[in-house]
Amino acid sequence: DTAVSQTPKYLVTQMGNDKSIKCEQNLGHDTMYWYKQDSKKFLKIMFSYNNKELIINETVPNRFSPKSPDKAHLNLHINSLELGDSAVYFCASSRDGGSSNEQFFGPGTRLTVL
Amino acid sequence: DAKTTQPTSMDCAEGRAANLPCNHSTISGNEYVYWYRQIHSQGPQYIIHGLKNNETNEMASLIITEDRKSSTLILPHATLRDTAVYYCIVRGLSGGSNYKLTFGKGTLLTVNP
């Protein structure tokens, strides 16, 4: 069974549309994350949730809204998509946010905005 | 979070040990050193982490200098599948920052046949 799964794997859409990316983890972890990897391959944290509560919200436009219906899911909704949103988005989870805990990453969702 | 410095790229022959260095001279006493890698088109993968002592697991060994200002990740017998970007990360402990991993540019390790 896949530990951290994301859907869809690929997403191609037009500017201005609204889209969602789903993430699920079956590891029983309390903390989940969204990272963005841009075309230059820099990987940056966007959000972190611990027990469904927002812990980290980096400088991300408010067009991006994470939603955590339960501990096993952290979905990313993006409004009014822009060209610059094109990137690979990775979901991750960890047992909790402690420094000794490793993060498990999903396979990524490649978003292309035309 | 403490910053890390890694070489941009390294080559290694298949079957040989790959030694990847990382400098983290501003590391704090209670910060961990983490190593992750990202194989092309995949999500990052945890390798190993340590605080003070050297660590070994089924994937690699982590050697941390006594002053903790640098570390080396050792892949004892590199294979072609170890070709990836390797990230050395120091994990912060203050407030919510301990929840995130701050990725740098990493080292592209190419294992050659």
Side-chain angles (χ1 to χ4, degrees), chain A residues 9 31 33 35 37 41-43 45 48 50 55-56 58 90 96-103 105-107 110, chain B residues 30 32 34 36 38 40-46 49 87 91-93 96-105:
Chain A
K9 187 170 176 62
T31 306
Y33 313 78
Y35 288 82
Q37 188 166 38
K41 304 297 185 184
F42 290 115
L43 194 60
I45 184 79
S48 173
N50 179 259
I55 301 297
I56 293 176
E58 295 290 288
F90 289 100
D96 57 41
S99 285
S100 63
N101 294 319
E102 64 196 81
Q103 293 184 15
F105 284 78
R110 180 174 294 276
Chain B
N30 55 359
Y32 284 82
Y34 272 79
Y36 281 75
Q38 187 173 24
H40 181 62
S41 297
Q42 296 183 21
Q45 177 190 23
Y46 165 82
H49 73 278
Y87 297 98
R91 191 100 174 259
L93 291 178
S97 66
N98 63 330
Y99 283 83
K100 67 181 181 181
L101 295 170
T102 301
F103 289 84
K105 296 181 181 180

Side-chain angles (χ1 to χ4, degrees), chain A residues 39-67:
Chain A
S39 58
K40 295 183 179 179
K41 304 297 185 184
F42 290 115
L43 194 60
K44 293 184 179 179
I45 184 79
M46 299 174 68
F47 301 103
S48 173
Y49 270 71
N50 179 259
N51 280 320
K52 297 168 51 180
E53 291 190 18
L54 182 65
I55 301 297
I56 293 176
N57 183 350
E58 295 290 288
T59 308
V60 177
N62 57 16
R63 297 182 295 104
F64 290 78
S65 54
K67 288 184 172 52

